[in-house]
Amino acid sequence: CGTGAFLNEMKTSGWQVSGIEPDNGARKRAEHLVGSKIGLPEELSELSSGQYDVITMWHVLEHVHELNWTIEQLKRLLKENGKLFIAVPNHHSFDARHYGSFWAAYDVPRHLYHFSPKSMELLAAAKGFTLKAFKPMWFDSFYVAMLSEQYKNGKNNLMKAFFIGAITTLQSLMNAKKSSSIIYVLKKA
């Protein structure tokens, strides 16, 4: 849950929330902001089954060390017909192809996995989820292009980054599967 900004927004909107965060500093900031204990990833197995309507992972899945175990735990925690929202970078996007090995969203070694729409479809099906929707993360392409320009050229060319981000975003308008980052909406089957 990072520093808890999304949790706090959802709590303010009337949702009951809980969070998981491996980083000590971020976890403490989230606990302070949300006003409740934030768990550790290894504590997932201690939570009661079928208690969540929705679970969100905003740019998290690419970082988890135990991918299969984590997805299985999330499915177990969801109520019948519960939804799992997973946002991850799309290594098949225009900006990924344009920047190649300089694409910032590869973020090796912190990103342990790289996903495409097809690989996410296969993962969802293998773990007992129905993939209900693909949604673009509209502004990620601009941010990733800015970082990628820096990595590729040693300086930040904002005009070129904006141009590459705009191409990716325009493609996303026609097909969400072409976004730099995609939000996958999965339903527990």
Side-chain angles (χ1 to χ4, degrees), residues 11-142:
K11 182 178 178 182
T12 302
S13 296
W15 288 75
Q16 291 179 338
V17 300
S18 58
I20 298 286
E21 175 55 45
D23 182 79
N24 288 332
R27 189 172 55 257
K28 286 180 180 157
R29 286 192 295 273
E31 287 175 340
H32 177 73
L33 182 63
V34 177
S36 60
K37 183 184 179 303
I38 301 297
L40 291 164
E42 54 269 19
E43 296 171 352
L44 280 174
S45 61
E46 298 169 17
L47 298 172
S48 299
S49 297
Q51 67 173 313
Y52 295 98
D53 295 305
V54 175
I55 296 174
T56 61
M57 300 181 84
W58 306 115
H59 284 283
V60 172
L61 192 61
E62 64 271 30
H63 296 272
V64 300
H65 288 270
E66 296 183 43
L67 179 67
N68 289 315
W69 179 85
T70 300
I71 296 291
E72 289 162 5
Q73 290 301 311
L74 298 176
K75 182 182 177 196
R76 181 185 64 77
L77 293 170
L78 283 169
K79 292 179 180 176
E80 194 67 34
N81 296 316
K83 292 197 175 135
L84 175 60
F85 290 77
I86 299 175
V88 289
N90 173 18
H91 74 98
H92 284 184
S93 65
F94 172 78
D95 56 317
R97 290 190 317 275
H98 174 78
Y99 289 110
S101 64
F102 295 101
W103 188 53
Y106 281 129
D107 202 11
V108 176
R110 295 184 324 141
H111 287 187
L112 305 172
Y113 306 95
H114 299 100
F115 298 96
S116 68
K118 185 63 179 174
S119 69
M120 189 57 77
E121 286 180 70
L122 293 170
L123 178 64
K127 296 301 176 188
F129 285 95
T130 303
L131 210 157
K132 300 302 281 181
F134 300 85
K135 303 284 183 183
M137 290 192 81
W138 293 112
F139 299 108
D140 268 21
S141 59
F142 295 102

